[in-house]
Amino acid sequence: MTPVHFSFSSAFILGLMGLTFHRTHLLSALLCLEGMMLSLFIALALWTLQFEMTGFSAAPMLLLAFSACEASAGLALLVATARTHGTDRLQNLNLLQC
Amino acid sequence: MTYLVSLLLIALIVGLVAVASNPAPYFAALGLVVAAGVGCGVLISHGGSFLSLVLFLIYLGGMLVVFAYSAALAAEPFPESWGDRSVFGYVVIYFVGVGLMMKFFCGGWYEGSWMIIDTFKEFSMLRGDISGVAMMYSLGGSMLVICAWVLLLTLFVVLELTRGLSRGSLRAV
């Protein structure tokens, strides 16, 4: 695996692990999701540049547009959580406790 | 030149370790700013100057600014930084994990893989990535229209989610 390929792959896996093992704040999970989107943007842009497929460089731009949609939906849910529970700490989201 | 790019790649991994170890959201946003900045550097070194500019403007200047002031919703009296005991454990585990994966997967230096998209190959005045993005307006016009429609739809989704007083899609809000 080339060093460039390894670095954005491990960046994606690190963001995924940070999303999986998030501890206290919902916003930390959303920021890890943004980190995954960053690594995907870098991956698609490097695919364009290293294979010299100039027509493919629209793909990272469209990925950025859709990830903006997803980030805004996540932030709307964060605001809704802060309105009902007063904070975004995950221990307050306990309706399904066992 | 390859040493500079390898330094930027290491800084990308360090920045995402700083985000994934889940400190207080202020510090995680700082880690994302650093990671996006060095990601732009990696893209520039491969010749994609326009895509790097787009990443800086839209991602850092648009989305991360919104996340930074949404961090006010996650305010704490004593925010946990990377030196605090619980966060530092995660940092160590992630660095050890990356080191182990580097031992297994990263074979060597791969001399021929640090390429730059060539400007003067087809006697063109523009770099490859900016002329490729211009294709989004000509042949990819339908995708552009779909993307704009999805963005408008997301605006209404956000308005309905945060409407409040049980008038929106969430009954509790």
Side-chain angles (χ1 to χ4, degrees), chain A residues 7 11 23 25 34 52 54, chain B residues 22 59 63 76 80 121 132:
Chain A
S7 69
R23 300 180 305 126
H25 287 283
E34 285 308 304
E52 300 186 3
T54 55
Chain B
N22 288 326
Y59 188 85
M63 291 159 57
E76 281 181 350
E80 290 178 330
K121 197 183 280 191

Side-chain angles (χ1 to χ4, degrees), chain B residues 89-167:
Chain B
Y90 278 100
V91 169
V92 165
I93 288 172
Y94 287 141
F95 271 128
V96 165
V98 167
L100 282 177
M101 295 211 337
M102 198 186 296
K103 183 178 174 7
F104 282 122
F105 286 110
C106 203
W109 195 241
Y110 286 96
E111 288 291 331
S113 75
W114 310 84
M115 301 168 48
I116 292 181
I117 190 168
D118 206 341
T119 323
F120 300 107
K121 197 183 280 191
E122 278 95 18
F123 300 107
S124 162
M125 288 273 290
L126 304 164
R127 292 212 98 132
D129 57 346
I130 191 169
S131 51
V133 170
M135 293 291 285
M136 198 167 70
Y137 290 94
S138 68
L139 285 179
S142 49
M143 196 61 206
L144 191 68
V145 167
I146 290 173
C147 203
W149 193 253
V150 165
L151 283 169
L152 185 67
L153 176 70
T154 308
L155 176 68
F156 287 118
V157 162
V158 167
L159 284 175
E160 285 295 325
L161 274 177
T162 55
R163 197 184 259 228
L165 294 180
S166 307
R167 290 178 303 206

Side-chain angles (χ1 to χ4, degrees), chain A residues 46-93:
Chain A
L46 284 173
W47 191 328
T48 310
L49 297 169
Q50 287 197 341
F51 288 130
E52 300 186 3
M53 307 193 296
T54 55
F56 194 65
S57 54
M61 309 265 301
L62 295 171
L63 173 77
L64 204 61
F66 290 124
S67 99
C69 298
E70 163 220 331
S72 60
L75 281 176
L77 287 174
L78 178 82
V79 164
T81 310
R83 269 196 204 166
T84 52
H85 298 267
T87 175
D88 69 333
R89 297 180 78 93
L90 294 162
Q91 60 200 22
N92 290 333
L93 305 173

